[in-house]
Structures are given as C-alpha cells and as structure tokens.
Amino acid sequence: MATEERSSTHAQRALITLRQRILGGNLPGGTRLFEVALAEELGISRTPVRAALSRLAEEALLDRTSGGGFVVRSFAVADVVDTIELRGVLEGTAARLAAERGVTEAMLAEAATILRGIDGVFLADAFDMEAYSRWNSQFHSLLARMSQSPVLMREIDRITALPFASPSAFLDDPSRQADLVKTLATAQEQHRAIIDAIRNREGYRAESLAREHARAARRNVEFLLSHEPALREGVPSLAILAATD
Amino acid sequence: MATEERSSTHAQRALITLRQRILGGNLPGGTRLFEVALAEELGISRTPVRAALSRLAEEALLDRTSGGGFVVRSFAVADVVDTIELRGVLEGTAARLAAERGVTEAMLAEAATILRGIDGVFLADAFDMEAYSRWNSQFHSLLARMSQSPVLMREIDRITALPFASPSAFLDDPSRQADLVKTLATAQEQHRAIIDAIRNREGYRAESLAREHARAARRNVEFLLSHEPALREGVPSLAILAATD
DNA sequence: TGTGAGACTAATGTATACATTGTGGCCGGT
DNA sequence: ACCGGCCACAATGTATACATTAGTCTCACA
C-alpha cells in the first residue's frame, strides 16, 4: 500500500476484515456480498461498507455485478497458474529494464547486502524460514525498484498482493518446510545470477532468469494439486483457491 | 468494461464526465479533486461523487491521498514509455501463450477474417482510418482472447484503457495521417506474422513479434516529443500527458 | 406446460445532517 | 525572524431516511 490511510476508520477496518476473509478462503469465489447484511454483521452503517467493497474491487478481490453489487472473485487453478506466470513476466521485465537502463552502485550494494543476508540464513544452525522470507521480500522489492519504472512497480505490487503470486508464496506451508529448504538454495543461486546479469547489462539473461525464478511457485501449485485436496487446505498461500466451489 | 452498469445513475454520469476530463487533458496530473466542489459543480450530492472517484481510482486514473481524498494521477513521459512497453510485454505474453497452448480453428478463421478486413482497407480508394482502427481493435481483442487466460486479458484491458497504450493510439492524430498510413502496412505484416507464429506453435517468435508490434506507439511518442510541444497538444492520445505540469 | 406480466421485497442509489479529522493561518514567545 | 500552539474552516467519515431499481415468485392465459 503506497498510501497511508486514516487509521481505524470504519471503512478501513471493514476493508481489512473482508480482505482477510477472502484471502483466507472464508468467502468462496462467487459469493455475493450485500451491503445491508455486512453492515449489520460488522455493526456499522452501509456507507463505510460500500467504501470497503469498492476498495476490494480496486484490489481485484471483488468483481462488480451488473446490478451495482459485488461478488467475490473466483480463482480457478488456471487463474492461479496464469497469475504466477504473469508475475514471472513482470519481474522478468523489471530485471531486463534494470539491465538495459543500468542501476546505481547503491542498488548493487543493497543487493549484495540482501544476498549476504540470505546466505546467512543458510549458515545458521536452524533454518529460520521467517528470516528467509523477510530477506526474500527485500530482494524482490529491490528487483522491482531496479527497473526504475513506477508503472511496472505498481503492476508488480498489484499482482504480488495475491498470496499465491507473492515472492513469499508457499514458504508458509508448515508441512513441507524440509522440502522447501532444499529448493531455496537453487532460488538463492538464481538471485545471485539475476543480479549478476543486471550488473553486466545482460537484459535477455536477466529477464529469463527472473521468469524462471518465479516459476518455483508454479511447481509448488502443481505439487499440491497432484496430492489430496485436504493437503491443499492447510496451505495459507492457496486458501483463496480452496474456497472456490 | 466487462460489467454493464446501471444506465444513467448520477455516479455513472459523474464517472464518465470525470474520466473524459482526465483523459482529455483538462485535469492536470496532481490536481486535487474535492467531493464538495465537484458535487456542487455537477449538481449532485457527495455520495455519487465519492462513488465515481473511487471508480476512477480503480481505473488507476486517480491516486488516493493519505487524508482519504483523491488526486489526478500524473503521467511523466517515462511513464508513457513504460506503459507502452508493458502493453508490448503483455500482448507478447498473450501471443506466446496462444502459441504454447494452441488455438481453435474458429479463432484462426476469425483472425483470417480480420486480416482480410484490414487488407480491404488498404485496397480502398480513400484510406478509411476509422475502419482500420475498428479492424485493428478487433485484431488486438482476438489476440488477447487467444491466450485463453482471463487473468492476462484482464491486465491487457486495464493497460490498454489508457489512450497512449491503446492499440489504436495515435491513429487519431489528424495532422499525421499520411505518414501513419505508411507505417500501417508494416503493422499489418506484423499482424500476419503474429498469427502465423501462433498457428505454427512458435511461442518465442510470436512473443517477439507482438512486442515489436506494440513498439510503434513508442516511436510515435518519440516523434512527437522531438517536435514542438504545441504539436503534441493536438494529439488526443497524448492529451493526458500534455496535462502534466 | 410454458411464457409473460404484475406484485412484492430486497438491494442499491441518493440526499442530507451531523461528527471527526486535517490543514492553514495567525498570534505570541523566544 | 522563526517556531510552536491554537483556532477556525474545509474536507472527509458516518448514519439514516427516502427513492429507485432489480430480482424473484406467483398467477393467469394460451
């Protein structure tokens, strides 16, 4: 969120509550949301409910109906796959623009710091997934900034706001942490290679690497979909999909 | 607009009015929009004004301020260039997915019809720019559909809603029609090649061609920016940029 | 049995009054 | 002269009452 909202307005609190429900899979795709019922349930008037619903449509979590109402957006498996693909395309473009336009020494130094931070997580006795996730988020935030394109950064922010398209997607699956850690070493090599390509002004290489890097999330989706649906329901990053009828 | 709105509500009319002003360059980027003043000016209450403003933020034509208000989004030249680049990337991705996933015979037949339609515009005695624009829009709409990705189609719709990133961008510049017609023959060759690549399942070729195809808009921007600003102001597709202080 | 029309109810659109917050200007003190 | 605090006004947040529209169900007719 680029803008700091007024804290604790009714609309803001309703927005947060409803967003959490949708992302957490508690509101199945296709569910009609009604102003009056929600106002009653949340104990506020219709006005802030409408404001919150409009914001959720802005975030593409709700679709508008022809009658002026709102419905929870449905995500099919193909939508998840395509959203992940789109993230790869956008981050790939960010990497390419960074390589084409060149980046500052300060950015490269920041990248080096982040890479060292991630390396440090691997060297610790116990793998700290939260620390990895934090460094990982910083890496991806920097990558977007390196493009020096506010337009692109804005689009990346939009897409990566969805849990399954986030750079941290699937890191929150407690049942597969040991397996995940094995793949994160590869991911870190990719981080290093992307920065190397950017430093060397290799646009095509940078784009290709960043696209492939994002594809890890797709592999996770495919893994989870090849197993029992029950397994998927324990994965926060895919909760929104579990909610699809 | 995927959804049909209620016709002629105050909010809808305010939305249309304000959108036209912004896209037409009559509201400079950075302009604060105030509910009360707009309500007074439009002769309606604040409620539909707020709804319209929220919709415009959804369309990314307005940014939200920290105080809960709205400000007209500023577009710098670099933003225009990057948005056009993004359109190329997205349409390139659509072409690649179409090639990778394959398309139906019906889609290919539709493409052939459109290509014939465009060819017909070139064969006429007087070049009909409006007819060309209509066929061109159909081509690009089909291209997005060929990806068979609702997620991607949605993003393409978002980006191409901006005048300078529209497939029809700059076709509306009355002062340069003769020059433009010369470049449209090249564009039509590109249309043909894109469909050929898709038919042949050549993903990389299709993506590259579609990206290059979108780059024509960038050449138009660069041409206009290398001439007097006064020239630019007569170009509807760039009106929104002319409005930037 | 199917279709169309009408009635009723619920959902959304709108205006307005009041509450709360933010911003700018002015005044006083250092 | 500059900075901080206070006050007033404007902007936004909210609730509520009323208006309008959309959707669904039932009945009647072909």
Side-chain angles (χ1 to χ4, degrees):
Chain A
M1 288 295 171
T3 341
E4 284 192 17
E5 303 292 336
R6 298 185 187 211
S7 43
S8 296
T9 64
H10 289 194
Q12 177 72 4
R13 292 208 300 275
L15 170 66
I16 291 167
T17 298
L18 293 174
R19 188 198 285 129
Q20 283 175 344
R21 285 199 197 157
I22 293 169
L23 294 183
N26 301 109
L27 286 175
T31 303
R32 278 295 323 271
L33 298 185
F34 299 107
E35 300 172 3
V36 175
L38 282 177
E40 203 171 300
E41 184 192 331
L42 298 173
I44 56 178
S45 78
R46 277 174 56 214
T47 314
V49 168
R50 292 167 59 81
L53 294 178
S54 201
R55 283 301 301 261
L56 288 165
E58 193 175 325
E59 296 179 12
L61 292 178
L62 299 186
D63 289 324
R64 290 176 182 270
T65 66
S66 58
F70 297 89
V71 59
V72 178
R73 183 174 168 197
S74 297
F75 287 95
V77 172
D79 295 328
V80 171
V81 170
D82 286 355
T83 305
I84 291 167
E85 176 77 26
L86 185 52
R87 175 192 145 214
V89 164
L90 293 178
E91 284 192 331
T93 302
R96 172 165 59 82
L97 294 185
E100 290 175 350
R101 296 172 177 180
V103 293
T104 64
E105 289 298 329
M107 280 176 174
L108 289 172
E110 194 180 342
T113 300
I114 293 171
L115 291 178
R116 267 197 308 274
I118 297 180
D119 283 337
V121 175
F122 284 105
L123 292 180
D125 288 342
F127 193 86
D128 185 347
M129 188 61 85
E130 283 202 20
Y132 176 86
S133 187
R134 277 197 307 270
W135 284 114
N136 189 50
S137 292
Q138 284 187 52
F139 177 84
H140 285 272
S141 171
L142 174 63
L143 178 59
R145 267 188 286 130
M146 278 174 157
S147 69
Q148 296 152 71
S149 166
V151 166
L152 190 56
M153 285 164 66
R154 192 180 188 126
E155 288 305 304
I156 289 173
D157 281 346
R158 267 178 63 87
I159 294 294
T160 54
L162 292 169
F164 50 81
S166 154
S168 305
F170 305 108
L171 301 184
D172 49 4
D173 177 4
S175 65
R176 297 183 55 234
Q177 185 167 113
D179 291 334
L180 285 173
V181 173
K182 289 175 191 168
T183 64
L184 297 184
T186 301
Q188 172 68 341
E189 285 309 309
Q190 288 170 337
H191 290 157
R192 247 191 288 275
I194 290 167
I195 298 298
D196 190 55
I198 288 171
R199 184 188 297 112
N200 292 333
R201 313 293 295 255
E202 302 170 316
Y204 181 71
R205 179 177 169 227
E207 183 172 24
S208 303
L209 285 163
R211 276 199 197 180
E212 185 59 25
H213 181 61
R215 206 156 166 104
R218 180 167 172 170
R219 278 193 289 279
N220 277 300
V221 171
E222 284 163 351
F223 174 83
L224 290 167
L225 291 186
S226 64
H227 288 75
E228 289 175 32
L231 189 63
R232 184 200 312 160
E233 280 170 27
V235 186
S237 297
L238 271 189
I240 193 172
L241 182 60
T244 302
D245 296 334
Chain B
M1 285 297 170
T3 341
E4 284 192 16
E5 303 294 336
R6 297 186 187 212
S7 42
S8 297
T9 64
H10 289 193
Q12 178 71 4
R13 292 207 301 275
L15 170 65
I16 290 167
T17 298
L18 293 175
R19 188 197 285 129
Q20 283 176 342
R21 284 198 198 157
I22 293 168
L23 294 183
N26 301 109
L27 286 175
T31 304
R32 278 295 323 270
L33 298 186
F34 299 108
E35 300 172 6
V36 175
L38 282 176
E40 204 169 300
E41 184 191 331
L42 298 174
I44 56 178
S45 77
R46 279 173 56 210
T47 315
V49 167
R50 292 167 60 81
L53 294 178
S54 201
R55 284 300 302 260
L56 287 166
E58 194 173 325
E59 297 178 11
L61 293 178
L62 299 185
D63 288 324
R64 291 175 182 271
T65 68
S66 58
F70 298 89
V71 58
V72 178
R73 184 175 165 197
S74 296
F75 286 96
V77 172
D79 294 330
V80 171
V81 170
D82 285 355
T83 305
I84 292 166
E85 176 77 26
L86 185 53
R87 176 193 145 213
V89 164
L90 292 178
E91 285 193 331
T93 303
R96 172 166 58 84
L97 293 185
E100 289 176 351
R101 296 171 178 181
V103 293
T104 62
E105 288 298 328
M107 280 175 173
L108 288 172
E110 194 180 342
T113 300
I114 292 170
L115 290 177
R116 267 196 306 274
I118 296 179
D119 283 336
V121 174
F122 284 105
L123 293 179
D125 287 341
F127 193 86
D128 184 347
M129 188 61 87
E130 284 201 19
Y132 177 86
S133 188
R134 279 198 305 274
W135 283 115
N136 189 49
S137 293
Q138 284 186 49
F139 177 85
H140 285 272
S141 171
L142 175 62
L143 179 60
R145 266 188 286 131
M146 279 174 158
S147 71
Q148 297 154 69
S149 166
V151 167
L152 190 56
M153 286 165 63
R154 192 179 191 127
E155 290 303 306
I156 290 173
D157 281 345
R158 266 177 65 85
I159 294 294
T160 53
L162 292 168
F164 50 82
S166 153
S168 307
F170 306 108
L171 300 183
D172 51 1
D173 176 4
S175 66
R176 298 182 55 234
Q177 185 166 115
D179 291 336
L180 284 174
V181 172
K182 289 175 191 169
T183 64
L184 297 183
T186 302
Q188 172 68 340
E189 286 310 309
Q190 288 169 339
H191 291 157
R192 247 191 289 272
I194 290 167
I195 298 297
D196 189 56
I198 289 171
R199 185 189 296 113
N200 292 333
R201 314 293 295 256
E202 300 169 316
Y204 181 70
R205 180 177 168 224
E207 183 173 24
S208 303
L209 284 164
R211 278 200 193 178
E212 186 60 25
H213 181 60
R215 203 154 167 107
R218 178 165 175 172
R219 280 194 286 279
N220 278 298
V221 171
E222 283 162 352
F223 174 83
L224 290 166
L225 290 186
S226 65
H227 289 75
E228 289 173 31
L231 190 62
R232 183 201 313 163
E233 279 171 28
V235 186
S237 297
L238 269 191
I240 194 172
L241 181 60
T244 302
D245 297 333

